[in-house]
Structures are given as C-alpha cells and as structure tokens.
Amino acid sequence: MKYNILSRGDDNSNMLANKIKSSLQEFDLIFDESEPEIVISVGGDGTLLEAFHKYTHRLQETSFVGVHTGHLGFYADWKPDEVEKLVIHIAKTPFKIVEYPLLEVMIRHHDDQTERYLALNECSVKSMEGSLVMDIEIKGELFETFRGDGLCLSTPSGSTAYNKALGGAILHPSLLSFQLAEMASINNRVYRTVGSPLVLPQHHTCMLKPKSDVDFQVTVDHLNLVQKQVKSIQCRVAEEKIRFSRFRPFPFWKRVKESFVAE
Ligand code: NAD
C-alpha cells in the first residue's frame, strides 16, 4: 500500500511523523507523495484540513487518518502514544472506510469566470467593506436579504467547528446535508432575516447574490480568499466525499462529548 505522511511542521509532529514513516517502511509499505492510498496527518485538525486540500483531486483513491500532537481533534483523533498500534493496523489489517459529505462552493464572477472549491468544514463569507448585504436564494427562490457580519455554510463534520461558535446545530456526519448559519444579522423594522440556522438536504442549492459590487473575504476551511467582482456564490452538497480510514469505533457523539462536555 502507498502512503504519505503530512506533519504540522513543529518539532514534536515532525519527530512523530518520522517515527511513523520508518515503522511503515519496516512493513514494506511504499512512501508515495503523489498517489497515496492513505494519508496520515500528524498535528491537529488544521493539518488534516491541509492534507484534504492537497488531495482533493483523488478523493476516490485516498483515505485519511489523523494523529494529534496537541489536544484531541475531530479529525486528528489518534494519540501520539497509540501510533505503534496505528502502524500495525495500517500494515496488517484491512480497514473500514467511512465517508463524510463535503460542501461544493462555486464562485461566479461578472466576467463569467467560475471557481470551484470543496470544503471539509465550511465556507464563510464576509464583506471587505461594511456589512455583508446579500440576497439568499434557496432552490432558485429568494428566501431573504441578509445584512450583517457574514454567513457560514458548513458540512455536517464541520458543524462542530466555526458553525458551532455561531450557534449552529451539531449534525451527525452521516446526514447528506449542509447548514447555513448567520453571523450577527441586523434585525429591526427595516431588515429581517430568519435568525435560525438552516439545514438543507442534498440537491438543495443555496445561492448568495451580492447587492453591491464590493470585495468579499471568503474562507474555504483554513484558506482565505479575497474575491472581487462576485456575481454569486453557490453552495450545495458535493458529489465527492471524504474517506476516513477507520481502525476502531469512535462514535461521533462520543467525540462530541469528549471535546465539548467531559472526558
Ligand atoms: P485554527 O488554528 O484557528 O484552529 C481552529 C480550531 O478549530 C482548532 O482547535 C481545531 O481543532 C478546531 N477544528 C477544526 N475543525 C474542526 C471540526 N470539524 N470540529 C471541531 N473542531 C474543529 O485554524 P485551523 O486549524 O486552520 O482550522 C481552520 C478552521 O478553524 C476552520 O475550518 C473553522 O472551522 C475554524 N474557525 C473557527 C472559528 C470560531 O470557532 N470562531 C473562527 C474561524 C475559524
């Protein structure tokens, strides 16, 4: 089997990544940066987000597993002292693959150029000048005009990240859906938004249409993009999915409990 290891880059993560690499080589696994079947990220959730974005062109062939060198992560859920066990699992046992939905983001510009992104966590949109003012269309129908700090469109697995900080619901990642959460909407006699986070199913499209020609700050996971001349930003559940290598059960709600409630 071909593998790659991505480290966060700090001494601790580099050391652990090297240890995993030499152990996997002893088992005759092949180090391959361009076409790995499994990618092991060592660091935190951010390291796994980077690993995902490096291989979005081969999601059908590559699966991911994360080791954390800081606190327990949602994607980086293997502890440093468990890596020997993990190496043996990777080398010796056929493992299960768990697939989670992704968000497709299409940014259309006034010159008809379109950029397509895949998000594992979310896409957030803010204005570079004053409040964000955008029409929000759902399935082609105007739903509301949003005025406020910004909007966050998250995947179910990203629902525990930025979305949660915005008061969005935590969704089980088996739900083929995405969520739209508001950031500080202006609500008074003139401006009105629904105020609650919305969960949309697969095949429902959410389109954001700017009301004025300003620049936008768009994030896709950890990536920060400045977008000019934006005609629309369209989000929906992507055709592609992320594949995680599962070597042991770690139920989602247990992870939520351990991360947010109690160990
Ligand atoms: P970072 O270093 O600022 O870390 C953000 C934190 O989010 C880390 O503690 C990480 O473990 C956690 N995280 C990432 N994905 C998660 C998930 N799916 N569920 C639960 N926690 C998760 O930034 P980074 O490491 O580059 O990660 C980028 C992510 O940061 C973005 O995708 C976004 O979700 C998150 N973020 C959160 C806030 C907020 O909570 N107010 C604001 C901006 C960005």
Side-chain angles (χ1 to χ4, degrees):
M1 187 166 55
K2 293 185 281 185
Y3 71 94
N4 189 15
I5 305 179
L6 293 178
S7 159
R8 180 164 53 195
D10 56 288
D11 290 348
N12 207 1
S13 306
N14 287 346
M15 225 162 58
L16 198 60
N18 285 335
K19 185 176 161 189
I20 299 172
K21 192 174 172 183
S22 48
S23 308
L24 286 174
Q25 258 150 2
E26 277 171 30
F27 281 107
D28 290 334
L29 271 81
I30 305 152
F31 181 72
D32 186 328
E33 282 181 280
S34 57
E35 293 184 339
E37 289 153 82
I38 184 164
V39 173
I40 303 144
S41 83
V42 182
D45 287 332
T47 322
L48 200 131
L49 289 173
E50 282 181 33
F52 163 73
H53 283 274
K54 188 174 162 81
Y55 293 105
T56 44
H57 59 287
R58 44 175 290 118
L59 293 175
Q60 291 264 39
E61 293 85 25
T62 302
S63 66
F64 299 84
V65 62
V67 180
H68 65 83
T69 49
H71 61 89
L72 168 75
F74 262 77
Y75 302 124
D77 57 7
W78 283 80
K79 290 191 270 184
D81 61 9
E82 293 176 315
V83 295
E84 273 154 34
K85 213 160 61 183
L86 177 64
V87 164
I88 294 169
H89 274 307
I90 295 173
K92 297 262 182 202
T93 46
F95 50 85
K96 223 179 123 186
I97 295 286
V98 183
E99 294 187 329
Y100 285 175
L102 299 167
L103 182 75
E104 180 195 70
V105 182
M106 302 271 269
I107 305 179
R108 294 198 179 87
H109 297 269
H110 287 300
D111 61 4
D112 278 336
Q113 291 228 25
T114 302
E115 291 152 51
R116 180 177 188 265
Y117 298 93
L118 287 178
L120 173 55
N121 268 351
E122 77 285 291
C123 166
S124 73
V125 184
K126 291 176 189 167
S127 170
M128 302 281 284
E129 265 175 68
S131 298
L132 179 80
V133 187
M134 281 196 169
D135 278 344
I136 300 180
E137 290 178 7
I138 296 177
K139 279 186 86 190
E141 296 267 335
L142 177 65
F143 181 76
E144 65 184 18
T145 301
F146 176 87
R147 282 178 179 78
D149 282 2
L151 292 163
C152 174
L153 297 111
S154 67
T155 64
S157 56
S159 66
T160 43
Y162 199 178
N163 167 75
K164 184 177 181 296
L166 298 168
I170 295 181
L171 299 186
H172 193 277
S174 61
L175 296 166
L176 283 171
S177 57
F178 67 104
Q179 183 168 183
L180 171 66
E182 298 180 349
M183 296 177 204
S185 56
I186 302 171
N187 268 294
N188 52 33
R189 289 195 328 191
V190 185
Y191 306 132
R192 186 128 314 272
T193 63
V194 68
S196 309
L198 305 179
V199 179
L200 279 72
Q202 197 184 17
H203 306 309
H204 280 203
T205 302
C206 179
M207 183 92 87
L208 313 180
K209 289 188 172 164
K211 296 289 275 184
S212 61
D213 191 18
V214 293
D215 297 348
F216 297 98
Q217 190 204 339
V218 177
T219 68
V220 175
D221 298 335
H222 59 296
L223 307 169
N224 263 299
L225 319 161
V226 174
Q227 293 287 337
K228 294 173 184 291
Q229 299 273 306
V230 177
K231 193 167 160 189
S232 65
I233 300 175
Q234 179 192 291
C235 295
R236 62 180 173 196
V237 177
E239 293 273 322
E240 299 94 326
K241 288 184 179 170
I242 184 168
R243 301 162 70 244
F244 288 104
S245 340
R246 271 291 130 78
F247 303 96
R248 59 170 182 207
F250 194 168
F252 178 72
W253 297 117
K254 188 168 190 291
R255 200 176 304 228
V256 171
K257 183 182 164 199
E258 286 187 15
S259 297
F260 300 118
V261 189
E263 294 255 327

